[in-house]
Amino acid sequence: MIQPVENTQAVVIGAGLSGLAIARELTRRNIPVIVLDASALTQDVVAAVMGRPLTAGPVILTPHRGEYARMLGLNEDPQDNEGLLAFTRKYRVITVLKGSPTIICDGQKLIHAPVGGPVLGRGGAGDVLAGMILTLLAQDSSDPLAAVLRAVAWHG
């Protein structure tokens, strides 16, 4: 099993780091900043987020619509803003629902980011976004929503 370096401050899981057991274990740890992407966006891993202390740092999810449906256990994309708000609030995360437009949700509000284009649908583009979010939050996690919005705008 991969062991994080002692005093790890930030980790992105899913973009090249696969394995549900690893993702669940890292999500349970008190790592201050966690970004979940790609293969880490499963019901089991997201459920592990609920076990984190309320004082642990932010957890950011970066699903596209298919991954979001998979996390909910659905076969098709739910087009429900109230459901996204409830999901984000329940799991105490910030969700970056990638698409056109990208929707950022912190559980209180939905922010539509009309940036980017079809090229962002290519493989690896989400990895770049997850890395940008992680980098900004590792530098300063005092306002996670602002960091996410900045990364989404720059990425677009």
Side-chain angles (χ1 to χ4, degrees):
M1 170 162 201
I2 294 175
Q3 295 292 326
V5 175
E6 191 173 328
N7 297 322
T8 297
Q9 296 299 303
V11 65
V12 62
I13 306 169
L17 178 60
S18 60
L20 293 181
I22 294 169
R24 279 192 302 269
E25 175 61 27
L26 290 175
T27 302
R28 283 189 199 105
R29 291 177 183 242
N30 199 13
I31 297 170
V33 176
I34 296 177
V35 178
L36 299 175
D37 186 43
S39 64
L41 295 169
T42 67
Q43 291 176 329
D44 289 346
V45 173
V46 174
V49 170
M50 292 183 74
R52 288 171 55 84
L54 292 175
T55 57
V59 175
I60 314 300
L61 310 179
T62 61
H64 56 60
R65 292 197 169 277
E67 291 165 334
Y68 178 60
R70 181 180 70 208
M71 286 189 300
L72 296 175
L74 302 174
N75 291 326
E76 59 184 51
D77 170 30
Q79 300 285 327
D80 176 20
N81 287 337
E82 289 303 316
L84 179 59
L85 281 162
F87 169 85
T88 300
R89 202 171 15 253
K90 174 182 178 180
Y91 290 101
R92 303 183 332 256
V93 297
I94 294 175
T95 303
V96 179
L97 187 56
K98 299 178 291 195
S100 182
T102 293
I103 302 171
I104 300 98
C105 181
D106 68 353
Q108 303 302 315
K109 57 187 160 282
L110 298 167
I111 301 165
H112 295 250
V115 296
V119 71
L120 295 181
R122 292 187 178 187
D127 296 351
V128 172
L129 176 59
M132 291 172 72
I133 292 169
L134 183 78
T135 300
L136 289 170
L137 287 170
Q139 293 174 46
D140 180 3
S141 63
S142 64
D143 189 349
L145 182 60
V148 168
L149 292 172
R150 190 174 310 119
V152 168
W154 290 348
H155 186 252

